[in-house]
Amino acid sequence: MAAAKKGLKKTDLVDYVRDSMECTKVAATELVQGLFDMIAKEMSKGSQVDVAGFGKFVGYNKKAREVRNPATGEKIKKAAERVPKFRASKALKETVSGVKK
């Protein structure tokens, strides 16, 4: 089995933005953090954030339900909760799958 590739971290995104925009690291960090904050805030309000050609960030409500503890088999009641979801656009799916370069 092949080892998984190391993923990008927030600092890698900041460095990419800094290099692309030729700005300071502080400015790039503020831009990246501001973008993440705005997406999270809109999702928490029930709005979706649609980034054309990339995908949609959506917050949705999960109903209260009964789950099972895998270690003990005990049934546990899980409260309703709001959770994030991302739906990739067709263009992103094609890029990731190698169909589109």
Side-chain angles (χ1 to χ4, degrees):
M1 180 189 283
K5 290 185 179 182
K6 178 186 167 224
L8 289 177
K9 295 184 179 181
K10 185 172 159 185
T11 55
D12 299 319
L13 296 174
V14 168
D15 291 341
Y16 181 82
V17 169
R18 182 194 66 214
D19 295 342
S20 297
M21 296 180 61
E22 297 178 0
C23 63
T24 66
K25 189 165 188 166
V26 170
T29 301
E30 289 175 358
L31 188 143
V32 171
Q33 188 59 53
L35 179 65
F36 291 153
D37 290 346
M38 185 273 306
I39 291 171
K41 182 179 177 183
E42 289 302 311
M43 289 171 60
S44 71
K45 293 191 309 188
S47 299
Q48 70 181 20
V49 179
D50 188 1
V51 181
F54 189 72
K56 291 181 183 180
F57 296 90
V58 182
Y60 74 100
N61 296 319
K62 272 189 162 181
K63 295 179 182 178
R65 62 200 183 280
E66 203 170 74
V67 296
R68 189 177 299 272
N69 180 333
T72 63
E74 175 188 8
K75 290 183 180 180
I76 303 168
K77 290 185 179 181
K78 183 145 174 118
E81 61 184 334
R82 186 148 187 81
V83 296
K85 185 175 184 178
F86 175 74
R87 292 192 304 234
S89 71
K90 181 181 177 187
L92 179 61
K93 289 176 185 177
E94 289 174 350
T95 300
V96 171
S97 70
V99 171
K100 179 178 164 186
K101 295 188 181 195

